[in-house]
């Protein structure tokens, strides 16, 4: 633990990736150097868990919408990153070292696969969503599967007891098919039912994710693949059930970054035999060949992919840095050694270990260098933000703390606030309780503070600060309005069900007054199902609402919700042409799939919603305040009627009024 704490801090002070420090210190204190720490069973086990966890994180954090949109890039890169090293390595092994064909195939397979060793660096830089990085992560699945297939086939061919007959190929094909289809369909199905059954957010969510992860890893081993393949597929399968910004994702990342992944890096360092640098001619020759072939072939694969898809120099460098990392190489060498395959002796093991050390140092340095350049270019290309900082206000109903149903409403509202919160924002979430004055005012204030105090703990799980406000006012809407003005709030989230606890109708007097007295972006939400179980967002767009000069913020908010939960958007445009909405969503530069349908009139809209909506849909209805561009009398009854047709979550969103939009796209009335 001292190593995990000190080594990264020391290297980061010298502008080097912190993960290198753990590897270097492991090599210095390992059994082949100072002998302070042995690579015992505990280190080996935790190292394997760390590698599995690393691959799982890559699958969880990838932008799944962008991954599927650009899946051809992942396939092309995966094929090139495997075929080029495999082909060159096989020829090199036969001609230079005189290996037989089976030995040469396995020699090439050592570096034909790759491990996302520098993934923590890419995630820290914030380039995981970049097209080139997404292609590299997706291609990892293909390269590892193909390299392991080479290992399985060659090892089976070398065994006299189990020949390469038709039964072997049938078993292999069925195993791979079961692995991908089983995890891809069963894990999300179980996850949605599990999360919907929980009464409140708890550590059981994290335990379910861990069970799914390691269960998938074991399943992969059972069907004849490697656990890391199962872990990566499990990460992709759980991707949409773990919101990008929330307590669950924070816990998943924290455990991996603080514990498991450092053990994996340490286990690599403990493998290194420093004496190889000054002795062992054969080992050094093999290590030099492996290092040179890995660097050259992975760069060529990255360069060719970049040439095909017009990646720039820095994106190609980032791809190369991620794909040059190796960890599975040792597993391939050890399995071949145990199988008694000719050429795989102690010299080959030592050469592979030295190769892993070198590329483990090169990989994060390359990603750090080129990744920073990618970040700089992406920030230059983005639209300039408005001068107004986003500040979110969540008025909570002051009901006693033991009211479990209300606690769930509070957590649902916090989940929504976390999903629309700007990325990298340092602003706290503002929570508010308005208490009526009276003879027991002090007791009511204490009760209100206790009722909303749990929000701090909940938000702390996502590492988001919370600021509490309590107001005494005869009118709840007046208290909300004053708090919004005093704290320069830009977005107000009202809890539909919380308001109904006052025994008021859906759009109560309080809600109407807040809309009339405020200028901020307002969301009135009814969140009954966990947001991470939403499979689709259905957006209802009434006529002329899109002409509002501030409607860009509505689209931006909807896109953030969709991106956070990984759900596609289906936009229903009522009584109007969808061209201006297409322009609007196009300006968002979003990777979220957006489907637009034109609805002729209101009755057809209600019919479509009745027939199509499921409990897994989040319905978002865009609306407008009175006396604004998009206002029309039908909007008064629209939200009430749609709410009765919606079995799942429902949000009504109102654009801000009078806010400066100089940096936002204007939609023409033409």
């Amino acid at each position: 633990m001292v190593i995990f704490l000190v080594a990264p801090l020391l290297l980061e002070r010298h502008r080097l990736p912190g993960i290198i420090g753990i590897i270097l210190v492991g090599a210095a204190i390992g059994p082949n150097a100072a002998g302070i720490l042995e690579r015992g069973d505990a280190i080996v086990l935790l190292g394997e868990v760390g590698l599995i966890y690393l691959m799982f994180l890559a699958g969880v954090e990838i932008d799944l919408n962008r991954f599927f949109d650009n899946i051809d890039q992942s396939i092309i890169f995966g094929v090139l990153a495997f075929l080029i090293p495999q082909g060159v390595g096989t020829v090199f092994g036969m001609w230079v070292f005189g290996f037989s064909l089976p030995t040469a195939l396995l020699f090439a397979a050592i570096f034909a696969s790759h491990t996302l060793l520098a993934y923590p660096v890419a995630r820290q830089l914030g380039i995981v969503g970049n097209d080139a990085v997404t292609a590299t992560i997706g291609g990892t699945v293909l390269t590892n599967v193909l390299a392991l297939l080479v290992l399985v086939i060659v090892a089976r061919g070398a065994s006299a007891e189990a020949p390469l007959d038709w039964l072997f190929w049938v078993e292999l094909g069925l195993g791979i098919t079961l692995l991908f289809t089983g995890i891809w369909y069963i894990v999300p199905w179980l996850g949605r039912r599990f999360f919907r059954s929980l009464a409140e957010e708890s550590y059981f969510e994290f335990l379910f994710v861990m069970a799914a992860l390691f269960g998938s890893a074991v399943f992969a081993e059972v069907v004849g693949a490697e656990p890391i393949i199962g872990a990566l597929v499990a990460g992709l399968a759980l991707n949409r059930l773990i919101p990008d910004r929330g307590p669950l994702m924070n816990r998943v990342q924290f455990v991996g970054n603080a514990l498991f992944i450092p053990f994996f890096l340490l286990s690599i360092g403990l493998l290194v035999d420093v004496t190889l640098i000054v002795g062992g001619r054969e080992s050094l020759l093999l290590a030099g060949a492996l290092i040179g072939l890995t660097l050259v072939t992975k760069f060529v694969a990255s360069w060719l992919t970049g040439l095909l898809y017009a990646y720039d120099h820095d994106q190609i460098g980032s791809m190369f840095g991620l794909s040059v990392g190796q960890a599975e190489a040792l597993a391939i060498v050890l399995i071949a050694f145990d199988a008694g395959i000719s050429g795989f002796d102690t010299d080959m093991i030592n050469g592979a270990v030295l190769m892993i050390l070198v590329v483990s140092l090169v990989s994060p340095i390359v990603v750090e260098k080129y990744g920073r350049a990618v970040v700089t270019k992406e920030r230059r290309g983005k639209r300039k933000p408005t001068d107004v900082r986003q500040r979110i206000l969540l008025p909570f109903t002051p009901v006693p703390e033991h009211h479990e149903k209300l606690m769930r409403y509070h957590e649902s509202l916090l989940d929504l606030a976390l999903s629309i919160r700007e990325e990298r924002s340092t602003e706290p979430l503002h929570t508010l309780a308005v208490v009526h004055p009276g003879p027991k005012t002090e007791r009511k204030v204490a009760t209100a503070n206790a009722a909303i105090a749990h929000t701090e703990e909940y938000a702390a799980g996502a590492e988001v600060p919370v600021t509490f406000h309590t107001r005494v006012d005869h009118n709840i809407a007046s208290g909300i309005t004053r708090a919004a003005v005093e704290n320069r709030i830009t977005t107000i989230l009202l809890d539909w069900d919380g308001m109904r606890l006052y025994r008021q109708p859906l759009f109560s007097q309080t809600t109407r007054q807040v809309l009339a007295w405020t200028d901020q972006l307002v969301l009135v939400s009814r969140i009954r199902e966990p947001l991470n179980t939403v499979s689709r967002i259905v957006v209802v767009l009434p006529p002329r609402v899109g002409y509002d000069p501030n409607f860009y913020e509505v689209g931006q908010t909807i896109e953030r919700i969709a991106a956070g939960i990984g759900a596609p958007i289906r936009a229903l445009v009522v009584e109007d042409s969808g061209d201006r909405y297409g322009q609007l969503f196009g300006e968002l530069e979003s990777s979220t799939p957006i489907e637009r349908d034109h609805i002729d009139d209101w009755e057809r809209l209600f019919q479509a919603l009745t027939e199509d909506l499921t409990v897994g849909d989040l319905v978002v209805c865009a609306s407008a305040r009175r006396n604004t561009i998009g206002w029309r009398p039908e909007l008064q009854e629209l939200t009430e009627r749609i709410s009765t047709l919606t079995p799942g979550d429902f949000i009504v969103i109102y654009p801000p009024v009078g806010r400066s939009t100089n940096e936002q796209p204007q939609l023409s009335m033409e």
Side-chain angles (χ1 to χ4, degrees), residues 456-492:
E456 182 177 18
E457 178 182 353
Y458 186 86
E463 295 186 349
V464 174
V466 175
T467 299
F468 297 95
H469 305 279
T470 305
R471 300 192 65 89
V472 178
D473 202 309
H474 288 282
N475 187 296
I476 296 174
S478 175
I480 294 174
T481 303
R482 290 180 181 179
V485 173
E486 292 170 1
N487 295 282
R488 294 177 296 167
I489 298 299
T490 62
T491 305
I492 301 175

Side-chain angles (χ1 to χ4, degrees), residues 34-115:
I36 297 174
L37 187 63
E38 294 291 331
R39 193 173 186 268
D41 292 340
I43 298 291
V44 172
L45 173 62
L46 291 171
E48 291 177 356
V49 170
L51 176 57
I52 291 171
Y53 209 99
L54 179 66
M55 301 300 290
F56 173 73
L57 272 180
V60 166
E61 295 180 345
I62 194 174
D63 186 335
L64 211 56
N65 292 323
R66 184 168 291 181
F67 170 73
F68 283 120
D69 287 343
N70 303 323
I71 196 169
D72 58 314
Q73 300 178 24
S74 296
I75 293 174
I76 292 298
F77 175 72
V79 170
L80 291 175
F82 169 77
L83 287 181
I84 294 174
Q86 186 67 45
V88 172
T90 301
V91 173
F92 187 92
M94 294 178 67
W95 284 7
V96 177
F97 289 111
F99 293 149
S100 63
L101 179 60
T103 303
L105 287 171
L106 282 184
F107 173 78
I110 293 175
F111 55 90
S113 65
H114 63 258
T115 305

Side-chain angles (χ1 to χ4, degrees), residues 130-132 310-320 370 374:
N130 185 271
D131 287 345
Y311 294 156
D312 61 32
H313 174 72
D314 297 312
Q315 287 177 302
I316 293 174
S318 299
M319 293 184 74
F320 167 65
Y370 291 102
V374 170

Side-chain angles (χ1 to χ4, degrees), residues 99 103 110 282-283 286 330 333-334 336-338 340-353:
F99 293 149
T103 303
I110 293 175
E282 190 66 25
S283 297
L286 288 169
L330 186 63
V333 172
L334 292 177
F337 176 80
D338 293 337
I341 296 177
S342 174
F344 280 80
D345 49 18
T346 55
D347 288 329
M348 184 70 78
I349 295 176
N350 291 333
V353 170

